[in-house]
Amino acid sequence: MHGKGVDPLFKAMSIIHQQMGANAPTLSIHGHYGPAEVEEAIRLARENGVANKIVWRDELSDEQMVELYQRSLVCVLPYTGSFAGLPASLAAACQLPVVCTRKAGLPDHLGESGVWVDENNYEQLAERIMELLRNDRLRQEVGARLLKRAQEHLCWDVIADRTLKIYEQSMRKKATAAGHTGPLVKRHAA
């Protein structure tokens, strides 16, 4: 649970349940955690009155995450630390709006396409989630922006090209420092 913003998330969910009543969503939580973390999280959920609206999914495969995200309305990543690149990237690829903090590598993955909230601000978190839940058009617009971001910046071909460019730049710098002026790499046609 460390760095994942569970406490503000449960407080936000409490507000959402108070305001939306029977229309309030169920929260699915997945990831890396052990029995002690789940016990602490369940205690926090009970304190906030949302324990009966949470489904604990433990660690999911990429395929299971995609299936879950394709059925979901919003992805919420209120991280204060840790790393959230994988869920953010998969959510973007699934056109799933992401409500998140500017922590845990999220700005690098989502650019300006995420729905940003301040760290530990559970009232703001609840407002942004409800805004998306109540507005299909907004949810679709945010999802479309995220999909475009994923296609332009997060697909494997783009990442591979950028990685190769980094290696090429590094090799050029190293060769320049060593006084080498000839070609560094022979490229072969595929």
Side-chain angles (χ1 to χ4, degrees), residues 39-76:
E39 198 173 296
E40 174 65 14
I42 290 171
R43 184 189 63 73
L44 283 172
R46 279 190 196 119
E47 285 177 9
N48 288 287
V50 296
N52 64 336
K53 295 296 274 183
I54 298 174
V55 176
W56 293 94
R57 299 193 183 268
D58 205 8
E59 188 174 349
L60 301 178
S61 69
D62 291 352
E63 293 81 14
Q64 291 169 318
M65 287 174 67
V66 167
E67 288 174 16
L68 176 63
Y69 290 3
Q70 288 174 336
R71 295 189 316 263
S72 298
L73 296 174
V74 178
C75 177
V76 183

Side-chain angles (χ1 to χ4, degrees), residues 150-164:
Q151 291 168 334
E152 292 175 357
H153 299 280
L154 302 174
C155 70
W156 285 116
D157 289 343
V158 170
I159 292 169
D161 286 344
R162 287 185 180 156
T163 302
L164 285 174

Side-chain angles (χ1 to χ4, degrees), residues 5-61:
V6 173
D7 188 43
L9 176 59
F10 290 170
K11 288 177 180 173
M13 290 303 295
S14 179
I15 292 170
I16 292 167
H17 285 271
Q18 289 171 14
Q19 291 191 18
M20 295 184 76
N23 294 324
T26 297
L27 177 64
S28 290
I29 297 179
H30 68 89
H32 307 282
Y33 45 79
E37 288 86 8
V38 171
E39 198 173 296
E40 174 65 14
I42 290 171
R43 184 189 63 73
L44 283 172
R46 279 190 196 119
E47 285 177 9
N48 288 287
V50 296
N52 64 336
K53 295 296 274 183
I54 298 174
V55 176
W56 293 94
R57 299 193 183 268
D58 205 8
E59 188 174 349
L60 301 178
S61 69

Side-chain angles (χ1 to χ4, degrees), residues 14 40 51 54 60 67 81 84 95 98 101 110 138 156 165 184:
S14 179
E40 174 65 14
I54 298 174
L60 301 178
E67 288 174 16
Q95 283 187 279
V98 180
T101 59
L110 303 178
L138 178 61
W156 285 116
K165 286 179 185 173
L184 299 175

